[in-house]
């Protein structure tokens, strides 16, 4: 699938590329990342390939990520209008100001205005709540977001890094009150982070939210550059976020990925990305790149076709422990289907079910 074979995001008509360009690496204010000119080359390379979906946030590199995008696109209105710019709010950039960040009405509207200024645009295509702050009634946040949509400053809405029950509450409230609904859910999802399959992914599929995974390479842990022979000696730019995962279980997974990559004539990162992009509910996976070469390698994941045997092996090697009641629900067919097949799923007769009429009260 080429980058310009677009897909609709969630229960909406918004058309986006199957890989979204994450721009958290635009700027070096955090001690790593790309210089502005290099970031613009990466952005142009993505756009030249037909990509149209950019992901940033007000807090990325202290606001510089948004500013780099704005500076590069503001001079060409046609280019800006064909790009889907997604940014986020919640991060407080004003030390000492309790309303400088968060999800209350004052903060949401102020952060939107700041992002519009940095992005040098008069509208944001997709506005994400970066994370639920826990101190604001969700109806206040949703009503503020609906106001921004009504004013034309925001086109679509999404939630990131928020518990499934809170997302479901917000979406149900918006639908019942006629407010602008959520169309997307941004979550960490990778072969090393699959616990989202317990609640978040099923919730998104049920409520019409397109899933846009971040961290599909787990900060580089799945890049293929870390080897078992060097276990305990690894250093990573993102520290423990990467090194804490470099255990024997991860190396088992990496060695399987190397085997699959060799069989398919591709790379380990592409295998990781292809697996995520093929998961149920996933619409567009967020990729990051510090160089045009990294971008090229990541985009190549769209050409990788994992065989069912590859997917099964990767699934088995990375099987997560999911929270209750996931295991309980997996047993439903045995005691609810009565040995029949429903929606293609067969069932075994429950061992405790009545065998005949004489056993049934």
């Amino acid at each position: 699938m080429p980058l310009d074979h677009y897909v609709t995001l969630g229960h909406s008509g918004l058309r986006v590329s199957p890989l979204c360009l994450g721009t958290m690496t635009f700027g070096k204010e955090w001690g790593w990342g790309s210089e502005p000119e290099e970031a613009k080359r990466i952005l142009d390379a993505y756009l030249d390939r037909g990509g149209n979906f950019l992901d940033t946030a007000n807090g990325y590199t202290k606001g510089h990520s948004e500013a780099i995008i704005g500076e590069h696109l503001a001079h060409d209105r046609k280019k800006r209008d064909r790009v889907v710019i997604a940014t986020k709010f919640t991060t407080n950039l004003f030390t000492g100001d309790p309303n400088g960040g968060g999800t209350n009405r004052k903060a949401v509207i102020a952060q939107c205005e700041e992002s519009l200024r940095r992005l040098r645009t008069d509208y944001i295509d997709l506005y994400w709540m970066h994370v639920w702050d826990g101190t604001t009634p969700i109806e206040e946040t949703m009503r503020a977001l609906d106001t921004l949509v009504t004013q034309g400053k925001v086109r679509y809405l999404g939630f990131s890094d928020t518990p499934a029950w809170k997302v479901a509450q917000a979406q149900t409230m918006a639908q019942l009150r006629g407010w602008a609904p959520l169309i997307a859910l941004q979550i960490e999802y990778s072969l090393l982070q699959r616990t989202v399959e317990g609640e978040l992914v099923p919730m998104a599929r049920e409520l019409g939210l397109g899933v846009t995974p971040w961290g599909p390479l787990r900060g580089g842990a799945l890049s293929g550059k870390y080897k078992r022979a060097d276990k305990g000696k690894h250093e990573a730019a993102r520290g423990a976020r990467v090194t804490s995962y470099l255990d024997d279980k991860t190396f088992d997974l990496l060695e399987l990925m190397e085997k699959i990559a060799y069989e398919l004539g591709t790379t380990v990162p592409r295998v990781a990305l292809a697996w995520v992009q093929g998961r149920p509910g996933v619409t567009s996976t967020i990729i990051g790149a510090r160089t045009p070469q990294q971008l090229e390698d990541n985009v190549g994941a769209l050409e990788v076709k994992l065989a069912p045997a590859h997917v099964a092996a990767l699934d088995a090697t990375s099987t997560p422990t999911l929270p209750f009641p996931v295991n309980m629900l997996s047993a439903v067919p045995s005691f609810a289907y009565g040995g029949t097949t429903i929606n293609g799923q067969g069932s075994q007769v429950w061992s405790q079910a009545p065998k005949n009429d004489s056993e049934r009260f």
Side-chain angles (χ1 to χ4, degrees):
M1 175 191 293
L3 198 55
D4 61 358
H5 281 204
Y6 306 106
V7 290
T8 52
L9 186 58
H11 188 61
S12 80
L14 183 63
R15 295 136 188 181
V16 298
S17 297
L19 293 179
C20 172
L21 180 60
T23 65
M24 190 170 67
T25 57
F26 282 19
K28 302 194 74 170
E29 282 71 18
W30 287 350
W32 46 271
S34 305
E35 296 287 357
E37 293 308 312
E38 183 81 339
K40 292 172 186 177
R41 283 192 288 272
I42 294 169
L43 178 52
D44 282 339
Y46 174 78
L47 298 178
D48 289 344
R49 290 284 296 268
N52 78 331
F53 194 12
L54 306 180
D55 181 80
T56 186
N58 71 324
Y60 286 173
T61 54
K62 303 180 182 181
H64 198 190
S65 173
E66 285 185 329
I68 290 171
I69 294 170
E71 179 183 330
H72 197 51
L73 297 181
H75 68 280
D76 187 341
R77 183 62 192 228
K78 290 183 179 179
K79 180 180 287 189
R80 186 273 167 264
D81 284 343
R82 89 166 190 84
V83 172
V84 176
I85 296 178
T87 193
K88 310 180 192 73
F89 66 91
T90 302
T91 301
N92 194 327
L93 299 180
F94 301 91
T95 302
D97 179 1
N99 293 306
T103 64
N104 66 61
R105 186 176 184 85
K106 176 178 174 64
V108 170
I109 293 175
Q111 288 170 93
C112 182
E113 296 294 345
E114 288 286 327
S115 287
L116 290 171
R117 177 183 61 80
R118 283 188 291 267
L119 289 165
R120 301 190 190 185
T121 185
D122 52 8
Y123 70 97
I124 294 166
D125 294 287
L126 174 58
Y127 204 31
W128 299 100
M129 182 174 76
H130 206 155
V131 63
W132 175 52
D133 75 8
T135 67
T136 303
I138 199 63
E139 58 267 30
E140 179 178 340
T141 303
M142 293 303 293
R143 186 66 182 90
L145 291 171
D146 182 68
T147 297
L148 292 173
V149 173
T150 301
Q151 292 175 340
K153 295 178 180 179
V154 169
R155 300 290 193 256
Y156 296 93
L157 304 174
F159 273 15
S160 170
D161 304 339
T162 296
W165 64 271
K166 182 55 66 172
V167 180
Q169 180 190 23
Q171 181 74 324
T172 302
M173 181 180 301
Q175 291 172 336
L176 290 175
R177 296 188 178 181
W179 298 343
L182 306 173
I183 68 163
L185 178 72
Q186 187 174 144
I187 51 176
E188 183 179 6
Y189 197 3
S190 72
L191 280 161
L192 290 178
Q193 174 48 279
R194 292 182 55 190
T195 59
V196 293
E197 294 173 6
E199 296 280 356
L200 286 159
V201 172
M203 178 274 301
R205 298 180 71 189
E206 181 73 17
L207 297 183
L209 308 180
V211 176
T212 65
W214 63 265
L217 301 182
R218 185 63 192 188
L222 294 174
S223 65
K225 64 183 179 181
Y226 300 107
K227 306 297 181 183
R228 193 191 300 267
D230 300 319
K231 181 181 176 183
K233 304 175 184 177
H234 298 109
E235 293 185 5
R238 300 191 187 184
R241 174 169 173 75
V242 174
T243 56
S244 64
Y245 274 79
L246 298 179
D247 55 18
D248 285 331
K249 183 177 180 180
T250 296
F251 287 120
D252 289 343
L253 176 62
L254 285 168
E255 287 166 6
L256 172 63
M257 294 167 69
E258 288 176 357
K259 179 176 179 292
I260 293 173
Y262 178 78
E263 291 175 2
L264 297 177
T266 188
T267 66
V268 168
R270 289 179 181 180
V271 170
L273 289 168
W275 180 88
V276 172
Q277 189 60 19
R279 304 306 290 175
V282 170
T283 300
S284 180
T285 300
I286 300 172
I287 58 173
R290 288 185 291 105
T291 66
Q293 292 74 26
Q294 287 182 349
L295 174 67
E296 189 69 21
D297 187 43
N298 288 341
V299 170
L302 294 175
E303 302 168 4
V304 175
K305 304 299 180 186
L306 296 174
H310 293 147
V311 175
L314 290 168
D315 286 354
T317 307
S318 63
T319 300
T321 300
L322 299 178
F324 179 86
V326 175
N327 286 341
M328 182 70 179
L329 296 178
S330 68
V332 166
S334 69
F335 61 80
Y337 291 6
T340 67
T341 297
I342 300 176
N343 291 337
Q345 183 175 13
S347 64
Q348 299 292 323
V349 175
W350 186 33
S351 62
Q352 301 302 315
K355 303 296 188 296
N356 50 54
D357 289 345
S358 65
E359 293 186 0
R360 190 180 305 109
F361 287 89

